[in-house]
């Protein structure tokens, strides 16, 4: 009997079945790791300059804007609980071709965001131990986190939980320290200025806030990765939907709180950041250093170095699931759909290899970070737009998944798509060119695949 069971499990794994081992906490850990609790640290100065000092308001608006996307994910994961996330949703709601395009565009995001995170970790570790080149640190971070992912999604989640706990503790230390300094010395800016602007660039301007939102939404990229684990969660897809919404809401609270506090501590006006862009990248660290002390500056830097590597771990895991799903549906090589002990190791190794090449290439160039950062968002935003269209396609056009509720299945997805399209339009020219080029390559692959016959069991309905 045991021999038969082993043979059954082996056949099951070879045909691409994942093991259900994740709970709600594990999903939240992956989501928050990918987002990173202190994501605003690197972009605070830029957002402060763009929003005329209303940096906390930027994150309030950005959280509301991304809530539309989170809601669409929650809608689709309940009716299409499959690995591959937006690839599976667009395939179900819009058809095979749209599904491929959504997966192809999301792939650009899932493969490059981890590369950025690995590079950030390498730079931070190089600043602490300059004798070791940053590309070596970058490659080491890729190797360590890849081994954890190959070990299994559950094991990686356990280690990730410890890292996430460390990041939360560091964030709490910052919050407590900031409150103590504000209570003792008062605020450098007006108490409401993080929500209304500091007045150094003129009166409050809604257009300035919205322009900053187009940058701030990049801090949230990653919460959607939770949906990639739909086939590995215990207790049903409703748990995935709750985790997506919970992660976005918690990230929004953390982002608003830390940017509000650091803005009150910041003696530098938003107009000065706008006039001197070179100061924007280190604005958060400089403020913490001057207001609280170098010890907290160093603590935040170390936390960000470790946290970035594990943000990449979560991103690499999501990328592996996307490649696995597209391989299983034969939109990419079938070998990517092979699992070993319930782990898609071939897909993970493929994702890790691509990410390693991109990260090390960038680490060996002075302008490597700029090249990567300029293009990471365009794939995700295009996929998000197709996600919103998938909700309309599934519920309103195909009339599946229960009765049509116009505000939930048409109005909210339409508003979400309008937001993502607006952010794409506001993206840099380089990002738009890379996104368009990647899309054209994908369309070429799609045309080459046209006429191929797929097994009747493939697809969202399987």
């Amino acid at each position: 009997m045991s021999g038969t069971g082993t043979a059954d499990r082996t056949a099951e794994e070879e045909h691409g079945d994942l093991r259900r081992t994740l709970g709600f906490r594990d999903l939240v850990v992956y989501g928050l790791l990918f987002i990173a609790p202190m994501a605003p640290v690197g972009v605070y100065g830029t957002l402060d300059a763009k929003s005329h000092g209303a940096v906390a308001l930027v994150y309030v608006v950005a959280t509301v804007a991304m809530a539309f996307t989170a809601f669409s994910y929650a809608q689709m994961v309940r009716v299409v609980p499959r690995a591959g996330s937006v690839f599976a949703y667009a395939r179900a709601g819009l058809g095979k071709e749209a599904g491929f395009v959504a997966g192809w565009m999301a792939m650009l995001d899932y493969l490059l965001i981890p590369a950025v995170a690995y590079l950030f970790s390498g730079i931070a570790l190089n600043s602490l131990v300059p004798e070791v080149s940053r590309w070596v640190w970058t490659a080491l971070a890729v190797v360590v986190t890849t081994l954890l992912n190959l070990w299994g999604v559950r094991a990686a989640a356990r280690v990730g939980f410890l890292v996430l706990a460390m990041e939360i503790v560091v964030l709490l230390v910052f919050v407590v320290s900031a409150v103590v300094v504000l209570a003792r010395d008062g605020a450098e800016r007006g108490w409401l200025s993080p929500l209304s602007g500091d007045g150094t660039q003129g009166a409050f301007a809604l257009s300035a806030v919205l322009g900053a939102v187009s940058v701030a939404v990049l801090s949230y990229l990653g919460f959607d990765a939770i949906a990639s684990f739909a086939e590995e969660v215990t207790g049903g897809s409703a748990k995935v939907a709750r985790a997506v919404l919970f992660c976005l809401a918690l990230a929004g609270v953390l982002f608003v709180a830390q940017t509000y506090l650091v803005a009150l501590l910041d003696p530098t006006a938003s107009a000065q950041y706008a006039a001197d862009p070179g100061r924007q990248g280190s604005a958060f660290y400089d403020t913490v250093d001057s207001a609280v002390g170098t010890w907290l500056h160093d603590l935040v830097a170390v936390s960000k170095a470790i946290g970035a590597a594990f943000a990449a771990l979560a991103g690499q895991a999501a990328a592996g699931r996307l490649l696995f799903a597209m391989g299983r549906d034969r939109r990419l090589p079938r070998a990517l759909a092979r699992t070993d002990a319930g782990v898609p190791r071939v897909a993970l190794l493929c994702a890790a290899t691509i990410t390693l090449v991109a990260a090390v290439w960038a680490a060996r160039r002075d302008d490597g970070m700029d090249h990567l950062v300029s293009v990471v968002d365009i794939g995700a935003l295009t996929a998000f737009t197709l996600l919103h269209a998938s909700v309309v396609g599934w519920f309103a056009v195909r009339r599946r998944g229960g009765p049509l509720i116009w505000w939930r299945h048409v109005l909210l997805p339409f508003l979400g798509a309008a937001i993502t399209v607006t952010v794409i339009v506001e993206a840099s020219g380089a990002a738009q060119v890379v996104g368009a080029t990647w899309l054209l390559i994908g369309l070429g692959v799609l045309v080459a695949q046209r006429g191929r016959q797929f097994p009747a069991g493939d697809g969202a309905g399987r």
Side-chain angles (χ1 to χ4, degrees), residues 181-191 193 261 263-266:
V181 171
L182 290 170
R184 183 187 64 204
D185 302 328
E188 293 286 346
R189 302 184 184 182
W191 289 96
S193 64
L261 291 172
L264 293 179
L265 295 172
D266 195 350

Side-chain angles (χ1 to χ4, degrees), residues 212-379:
V213 167
S214 68
V215 176
V217 295
L218 305 184
S219 299
Y220 297 85
L221 295 184
F223 76 90
D224 54 295
I226 296 171
S228 297
F229 302 101
E231 293 182 41
E232 295 165 90
V233 65
T234 60
S237 58
K239 187 179 292 184
V240 182
R242 290 198 304 271
V244 169
L245 296 171
F246 178 80
C247 273
L248 178 66
L250 181 57
V253 171
L254 296 177
F255 292 171
V256 171
Q258 64 192 276
T259 51
Y260 177 81
L261 291 172
V262 77
L264 293 179
L265 295 172
D266 195 350
T268 305
S270 66
Q272 291 176 271
Y273 287 133
D276 186 6
R279 301 179 58 186
Q280 294 175 9
S282 61
F284 194 107
Y285 293 108
D286 293 341
T287 300
V288 168
D289 197 352
S290 62
V292 181
T294 303
W295 66 271
L296 184 55
H297 173 171
D298 293 342
L299 184 62
V300 171
V302 171
S303 174
K304 286 291 291 179
I306 298 174
F310 280 82
L313 174 143
Q316 183 192 92
R321 271 67 186 177
L322 176 60
L323 295 178
F324 161 83
M326 295 183 74
R328 183 172 60 185
D329 282 347
R330 308 224 176 151
R331 291 296 177 176
L332 289 177
R334 182 69 170 173
L336 294 170
R338 184 178 179 86
T339 60
D340 180 14
V343 180
R345 291 196 170 101
V346 175
L348 283 170
L349 284 172
C350 182
T353 301
I354 296 172
T355 300
L356 174 65
V357 171
V360 170
W361 170 83
R364 295 176 67 88
R365 295 174 57 97
D366 292 335
D367 58 352
M369 179 66 81
D370 291 339
H371 280 292
L372 284 181
V373 170
S374 66
V375 300
V376 295
D377 60 315
I378 202 74

Side-chain angles (χ1 to χ4, degrees), residues 184-206:
R184 183 187 64 204
D185 302 328
E188 293 286 346
R189 302 184 184 182
W191 289 96
L192 292 179
S193 64
L195 296 170
S196 61
D198 61 2
T200 61
Q201 298 186 66
F204 173 81
L206 180 60

